[in-house]
């Protein structure tokens, strides 16, 4: 994304996130499925939640760490597919 002109970066980033996360959930939908959404986030499947017209993303700390410390979103996405994930036990 760094190779894109500055005015195209934000829209490209948002398009990538929307494609990866799917449609934004409402707060009511997110609240009723919170445990499932957090386990999905830990498994590398982030989620968008729409709150008062703005969107927030639910993703694992490992994923955020990979993006911020590596500073390469494309490399992160490719590596994320190879990265082993924590297995959670059923409740």
């Amino acid at each position: 994304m760094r190779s894109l002109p500055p005015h195209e970066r934000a829209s490209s980033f948002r398009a990538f996130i929307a494609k990866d996360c799917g449609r934004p959930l409402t707060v009511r939908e997110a609240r009723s499925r919170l445990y499932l959404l957090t386990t999905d986030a830990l498994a590398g499947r982030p989620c968008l939640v729409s709150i008062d017209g703005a969107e927030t993303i639910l993703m694992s700390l490992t994923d955020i760490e990979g993006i911020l410390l590596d500073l390469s979103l494309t490399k992160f996405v490719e590596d994320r597919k190879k990265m082993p994930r924590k297995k959670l036990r059923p409740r």
Side-chain angles (χ1 to χ4, degrees):
M1 289 200 190
R2 291 180 185 200
S3 63
L4 294 173
H7 63 280
E8 292 180 13
R9 289 180 190 167
S11 63
S12 294
F13 178 75
R14 287 182 178 268
F16 168 77
I17 293 296
K19 179 183 170 198
D20 200 38
C21 295
R23 74 169 184 82
L25 300 174
T26 64
V27 173
R28 178 173 281 193
E29 291 171 322
R31 187 175 35 220
S32 69
R33 297 175 28 196
L34 184 61
Y35 178 76
L36 296 174
L37 293 174
T38 53
T39 56
D40 282 350
L42 288 172
R45 295 181 300 272
C47 173
L48 286 175
V49 179
S50 180
I51 302 172
D52 296 332
E55 293 175 351
T56 185
I57 189 166
L58 176 65
M59 64 190 313
S60 74
L61 183 59
T62 303
D63 292 345
I64 294 171
E65 180 182 52
I67 292 171
L68 295 177
L69 296 181
D70 187 20
L71 300 176
S72 170
L73 187 59
T74 306
K75 183 180 181 319
F76 166 74
V77 171
E78 291 170 5
D79 289 347
R80 187 179 73 171
K81 295 174 185 173
K82 302 173 192 173
M83 192 180 335
R85 297 291 174 173
K86 289 182 181 178
K87 302 273 183 179
L88 297 174
R89 295 181 305 198
R91 292 172 118 190

